[in-house]
């Protein structure tokens, strides 16, 4: 599964001289659980942070575990729960709670001219507007799985993990152009809070900076740990970007708005 | 800030450039409170016991330890 989703980026062997950021793994918790109602558990730097899950969830658990590991150990950057997409050097953050259509919008935009920097977390250099790519598969849930399979028949999808605590979950590989630029940071110019609503026309609400600061900071993973550094970085971002709330049902309208507003 | 209330010394305050309000940050517990422009205006008034909205807002801020009554 890893080879299918990660393609060339997946490797079976690491040379001793190569630097490794984190040592993580997925394995059976014990001999019995390899055969009897098989389960797997995730480990990160020797810690087992989650209870074991059915073996069918192995790939999803690996992805969640990688997110957890970065959220727990990355202290050099401010981390925001947000999708990140860019054109040229212009990056847009899409912070949003589950159910807002963030991942579907991310998949659509990546397949319509934007490059994916992350579907899950924005890694922002302190006191700057620079965001570092964290190019990983897009996590699709429930109805968006079939929707994306219809829209992107050329895409590469993982097996679906059914009835997880997040619902049905499948991952979609990032596109080649995003992977090729996975080492190229971008400059955040906009923060857009998306909300999908069925059968509505695109509603665009420019936000005042005070409200945007509060809403944006609610999506911070490590605000409590970084404290003042995170506060100052968030203020810097809010002051140097434009913020909108977006209610949408048609993703092509979202794409047109983002192009018009941020890529001129 | 008014004669009646002041931001505690170690609280960080930022007034946003669009004039929409300000944000208070307490480094002691990493808590944050926003005051939108109407609230800022209220803070800059003398406290009036009859102004229930004013009292409610000030109380909210006090709960968050951002404001000290002088």
């Amino acid at each position: 599964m890893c080879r299918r989703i990660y393609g060339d980026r997946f490797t079976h062997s690491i040379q001793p001289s190569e630097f490794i950021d984190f040592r993580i793994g997925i394995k059976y918790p014990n001999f019995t659980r390899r055969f009897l109602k098989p389960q797997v558990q995730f480990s990160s730097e020797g810690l087992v942070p989650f209870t074991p899950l059915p073996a069918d969830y192995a790939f999803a658990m690996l992805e969640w575990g990688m997110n957890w590991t970065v959220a727990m150990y990355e202290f050099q950057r401010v981390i925001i729960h947000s999708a990140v997409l860019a054109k040229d050097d212009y990056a847009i953050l899409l912070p949003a709670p589950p159910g807002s259509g963030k991942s579907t919008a991310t998949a659509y935009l990546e397949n319509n001219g934007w490059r994916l920097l992350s579907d899950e977390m924005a890694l922002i250099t302190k006191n700057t507007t620079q965001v570092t790519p964290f190019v990983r598969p897009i996590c699709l849930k429930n109805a968006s799985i079939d929707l994306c399979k219809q829209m992107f028949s050329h895409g590469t999808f993982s097996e679906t993990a059914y009835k997880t605590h997040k619902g049905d979950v499948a991952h979609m590989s990032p596109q080649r152009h995003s992977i090729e630029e996975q080492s190229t940071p971008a400059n955040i110019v906009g923060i857009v809070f998306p909300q999908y609503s069925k059968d509505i026309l695109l509603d665009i609400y420019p936000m005042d900076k005070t409200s945007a600061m509060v809403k944006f900071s609610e999506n911070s993973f490590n605000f409590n740990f970084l404290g003042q550094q995170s506060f100052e970085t968030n203020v810097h971002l809010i002051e140097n970007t434009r913020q909108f709330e977006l209610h949408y049902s048609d993703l092509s309208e979202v794409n047109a708005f983002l192009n018009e507003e941020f890529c001129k | 800030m008014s004669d009646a209330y002041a931001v505690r010394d170690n609280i960080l305050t930022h007034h946003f450039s669009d004039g929409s309000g300000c944000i208070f940050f307490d480094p002691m517990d990493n808590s944050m409170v926003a005051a939108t422009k109407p609230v800022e205006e209220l803070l800059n008034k003398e406290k009036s016991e009859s102004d229930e909205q004013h009292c409610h807002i000030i109380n909210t801020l006090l709960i968050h330890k951002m404001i000290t009554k002088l």
Side-chain angles (χ1 to χ4, degrees), chain A residues 175-193:
Chain A
Q175 301 295 305
R176 172 61 56 189
H177 66 278
S178 300
I179 295 169
E180 285 174 351
E181 293 197 70
Q182 64 179 347
S183 300
T184 308
N187 189 40
I188 302 165
V189 294
I191 300 170
V192 176
F193 297 90

Side-chain angles (χ1 to χ4, degrees), chain A residues 209-210 214 217 223-224 227-228 239, chain B residues 14 16-18 20-21 30 34:
Chain A
K209 291 190 180 296
T210 306
V214 173
S217 297
F223 191 92
N224 277 333
Q228 186 173 337
E239 286 289 14
Chain B
H14 179 81
F16 284 103
S17 59
D18 64 351
S20 59
N30 295 331

Side-chain angles (χ1 to χ4, degrees), chain A residues 104 107 140 143-153 157 172:
Chain A
T104 313
L140 304 169
S144 71
I145 298 171
D146 285 338
L147 181 64
C148 286
K149 284 181 177 178
Q150 286 171 14
M151 284 196 293
F152 318 118
S153 55
F157 297 86
M172 179 181 172

Side-chain angles (χ1 to χ4, degrees), chain B residues 27 49 61 63 66:
Chain B
E49 290 298 334
L61 292 171
I63 287 168
M66 299 297 179

Side-chain angles (χ1 to χ4, degrees), chain A residues 82-85 106 116-122 132-136:
Chain A
S82 172
V84 189
L85 294 132
T106 301
L116 175 74
L117 280 80
S118 177
D119 170 47
E120 193 64 23
M121 47 179 74
T132 299
F134 186 43
V135 183
R136 301 260 310 288

Side-chain angles (χ1 to χ4, degrees), chain A residues 207-211 213-214 217-218 223-229 231-232 234-235 238-239 243, chain B residues 12-25 27 29-36:
Chain A
M207 296 180 75
D208 68 76
K209 291 190 180 296
T210 306
S211 304
M213 173 71 183
V214 173
S217 297
E218 285 171 357
F223 191 92
N224 277 333
F225 185 82
L226 294 180
Q228 186 173 337
Q229 292 176 318
F231 172 76
E232 289 171 347
N234 290 3
V235 165
I238 295 297
E239 286 289 14
Q243 303 84 32
Chain B
L12 302 180
T13 307
H14 179 81
H15 294 260
F16 284 103
S17 59
D18 64 351
S20 59
C22 67
I23 193 103
F24 301 97
F25 175 75
D29 61 3
N30 295 331
S31 58
M32 202 167 67
V33 172
T36 51

